[in-house]
Amino acid sequence: MTHHAPHEQEIRAAAAHFGRRRFLTATGAAAALAFATNLPAAGAAYAAEADARKITENPFTLGVASGDPQPGSVVLWTRLAPRPYEPGSGMPNARVTVRWEVAYDEHFKRLAGQGRADAHPEFNHSVHIEPTGLAPDRVYYYRFRAGSWISPVGRTRTAPARSARLSALKLAAVSCQAYHDGYFTAYKHLAEEDLDVVFHLGDYLYEYPVSAAGGVRNYTDRTLPAVFNRETVTLEDYRLRYALYKSDPDLRAAHAAHPFIVTWDDHEVENNYASDISEDHLPPAEFLVRRAAAYRAYWENQPLRRPQRPQGADARLYRRLQYGQLAQFDILDTRQYRSDQAYGDGWHVPGPQSLDPGRTLTGAAQERWLTDGWRQSSARWNVLPQQVTFSERRNATGAGYQLSMDAWDGYAASRDRVLAGAESAGVDNLVVLTGDVHVHYAFDIKKDFKDPGSRTAGVEFVTTSIASGKDGADKPANWDTYLAANPHLKFYNGRRGYLTVTLDQDTARADYRTVSAVTTPGAPVRTAASFVTEAGDPGLKSA
């Protein structure tokens, strides 16, 4: 279905010429052709079947995960990888039968569903199960079996029925987990929180090299293989990098404890890429082969449904999930369809380029989908989980201030259209969830950021990173300047951590959770600040 894969012909053409390139071996060119045809293709169903009883080492080293809850269903994920740090993960080039079970209790005395699935080598032996017939708004336990091996047990929760009048919902938001910048201690604490769902807002992995000592983790008890000490560009590179990240026990614990709803930002492919434009200005067709590899590895390693499976270098990641009448979640993709950053990226004084009304962060189709969805929404809270800072963020007081060209500030007309769409749709209670910047922010979203007295159109909760940026500080060097330059900025903290948001009929409450360090393991967690916004009266107040 070519209309789903607009870049298919470019990839095919590029792949045919790439055999001699540094970044694409002949195998890579073959893989590029495979992306364009969306494997498993003809022959996959007839691929040799390996006997799961012959797996002699634990294949569940990367744990389990669940995601994208619906009222009667939730995605269950695992990947077979007895040797996760090796190409091929220690698995045969053949499909393997995996059995799955969903139960009402963690001892699996009362099953709610069970079945079998093939783990295909074409998908790196990952499985994505979409069991149906589950009860809404209910906790379930799940596990997998391959041969004599049994996976860890995961806990998940379905979404409430569309018509349900929920009293409350508690979510967490996380982003930016550079393995080489520190331990995932925040995830250990997140796993112990009582949550309905976790939103991952991007930068699940980083493409940069990871040293034998794991960067600032500075391991003394292990040596990471050299395959990690290079930038990810090929499918194998990205697959191995997910294996490294998912071998982290704190990340595995968080996935096993809560369902995740994921979206990507830039580092899942390459820093600050925009659509088919790479940071290093590769020919677009060549970059699209890399993007196809990255998108495929992302899908293989996340609890995503079939409609999110990439076709070549294209994947429909923006999607909508409902939690009863309480919340509608419109998950955005602000990388795949964006115009190139104005003024060559970085921080610049806003001007004709960044203010050009023809520029877009979402692409026209996603923008229409968003406003159409708002028009049909009957939810109390309309929540926008997305990647980059939405509110204006000046880096200096007075004239001559600069804005980030990678954030919505670099796409001012795009932001204006989204806010106008929310207003015309009658969206009263807009909450934007953001990652990317490795700091906690709390913003009032103004109808006109140039006029601090203008109407407050909603609130933005920005979560800091899990590890990126190393330990950070409660008050970064520019703390005073940012608070003075941006009167709609109500909170700013530069530690690592995550955010929890509790929605009820009357308020949305954000608790900003921080850990004191990530360069050493085991730091405690604390709440650095809490804010509420009231339904029908947008604007942040200290809680």
Side-chain angles (χ1 to χ4, degrees), residues 44-122:
Y46 311 105
E49 182 167 7
D51 186 347
R53 290 172 300 184
K54 292 186 175 162
I55 298 175
T56 57
E57 298 166 84
N58 175 21
F60 297 111
T61 56
L62 306 181
V64 299
S66 69
D68 277 29
Q70 292 178 359
S73 168
V74 63
V75 183
L76 309 178
W77 173 93
T78 193
R79 186 164 80 73
L80 306 180
R83 292 185 214 148
Y85 293 176
E86 293 177 13
S89 305
M91 289 294 292
N93 187 25
R95 62 193 164 96
V96 173
T97 299
V98 175
R99 290 170 292 157
W100 58 270
E101 296 173 316
V102 178
Y104 296 105
D105 64 298
E106 54 195 314
H107 304 294
F108 292 82
K109 297 274 192 287
R110 292 180 56 226
L111 290 187
Q114 59 183 315
R116 294 167 180 265
D118 282 334
H120 281 280
E122 292 92 343

Side-chain angles (χ1 to χ4, degrees), residues 370-413:
L370 177 60
T371 49
D372 288 349
W374 278 340
R375 285 198 186 99
Q376 292 160 25
S377 173
S378 57
R380 185 70 158 172
W381 297 96
N382 286 277
V383 184
L384 199 59
Q386 57 91 50
Q387 293 76 11
V388 294
T389 304
F390 187 83
S391 300
E392 188 175 85
R393 188 169 42 126
R394 301 182 180 190
N395 71 349
T397 55
Y401 63 85
Q402 296 179 325
L403 303 173
S404 167
M405 295 297 107
D406 189 58
W408 287 83
D409 275 340
Y411 302 79

Side-chain angles (χ1 to χ4, degrees), residues 141-439:
Y141 298 87
Y142 63 96
R143 67 185 177 188
F144 301 90
R145 296 170 182 263
S148 60
W149 298 95
I150 302 179
S151 76
V153 173
R155 176 188 175 280
T156 191
R157 187 176 193 131
T158 51
R162 285 290 296 274
S163 59
R165 302 254 169 220
L166 291 189
S167 57
L169 161 68
K170 187 174 182 182
L171 63 91
V174 297
S175 75
C176 303
Q177 49 198 53
Y179 185 99
H180 57 277
D181 267 2
Y183 289 89
F184 293 167
T185 311
Y187 273 134
K188 179 178 183 296
H189 298 297
L190 183 88
E192 293 160 5
E193 297 256 11
D194 183 13
L195 301 169
D196 293 281
V197 67
V198 175
F199 287 86
H200 199 296
L201 303 175
D203 296 343
Y204 191 95
L205 57 66
Y206 280 69
E207 76 275 29
Y208 304 134
V210 180
S211 70
V216 303
R217 291 183 177 217
N218 207 15
Y219 292 140
T220 54
D221 61 341
R222 72 197 83 170
T223 304
L224 297 179
V227 292
F228 300 122
N229 202 7
R230 60 174 184 243
E231 185 165 336
T232 54
V233 285
T234 66
L235 177 58
E236 188 174 277
D237 290 338
Y238 287 107
R239 283 172 163 174
L240 284 164
R241 193 61 55 90
Y242 281 104
L244 175 64
Y245 278 58
K246 284 181 171 285
S247 66
D248 182 275
D250 295 331
L251 176 56
R252 288 203 312 272
H255 274 300
H258 312 296
F260 273 55
I261 295 170
V262 300
T263 186
W264 52 38
D265 194 18
D266 51 338
H267 289 287
E268 286 87 352
V269 182
E270 179 205 50
N271 179 55
N272 283 21
Y273 82 93
S275 183
D276 60 357
I277 301 159
S278 77
E279 186 178 39
D280 305 326
H281 302 291
L282 288 173
E286 186 171 334
F287 177 66
L288 284 169
V289 176
R290 179 178 182 179
R291 197 177 94 174
Y295 282 12
R296 186 186 191 84
Y298 183 83
W299 189 82
E300 289 171 349
N301 286 283
Q302 299 292 5
L304 288 164
R305 293 183 182 272
R306 278 185 208 93
Q308 277 62 61
R309 193 166 92 182
Q311 296 205 318
D314 307 283
R316 166 72 184 262
L317 203 60
Y318 65 88
R319 59 205 190 280
R320 178 171 295 123
L321 285 92
Q322 312 275 355
Y323 270 65
Q325 296 288 298
L326 187 60
Q328 174 171 301
F329 297 106
D330 293 292
I331 297 101
L332 297 192
D333 173 354
T334 61
R335 280 293 154 194
Q336 190 175 178
Y337 315 104
R338 66 159 69 194
S339 309
D340 197 12
Q341 289 93 344
Y343 303 111
D345 206 1
W347 288 72
H348 293 275
V349 175
Q353 264 190 51
S354 63
L355 299 170
D356 178 354
R359 290 168 48 72
T360 177
L361 195 61
T362 59
Q366 184 177 197
E367 189 181 292
R368 272 195 311 274
W369 165 87
L370 177 60
T371 49
D372 288 349
W374 278 340
R375 285 198 186 99
Q376 292 160 25
S377 173
S378 57
R380 185 70 158 172
W381 297 96
N382 286 277
V383 184
L384 199 59
Q386 57 91 50
Q387 293 76 11
V388 294
T389 304
F390 187 83
S391 300
E392 188 175 85
R393 188 169 42 126
R394 301 182 180 190
N395 71 349
T397 55
Y401 63 85
Q402 296 179 325
L403 303 173
S404 167
M405 295 297 107
D406 189 58
W408 287 83
D409 275 340
Y411 302 79
S414 208
R415 177 172 61 203
D416 289 345
R417 289 192 298 270
V418 165
L419 287 175
E423 190 173 7
S424 72
V427 168
D428 294 323
N429 303 315
L430 175 64
V431 175
V432 177
L433 297 179
T434 302
D436 182 56
V437 284
H438 312 166
V439 296

Side-chain angles (χ1 to χ4, degrees), residues 379-382 426-431 455-459 504-508 532-541:
R380 185 70 158 172
W381 297 96
N382 286 277
V427 168
D428 294 323
N429 303 315
L430 175 64
V431 175
R455 188 175 69 83
T456 297
V459 298
D504 62 28
Q505 288 299 319
D506 302 319
T507 59
V532 295
T533 181
E534 294 170 12
D537 183 20
L540 294 170
K541 304 174 176 75

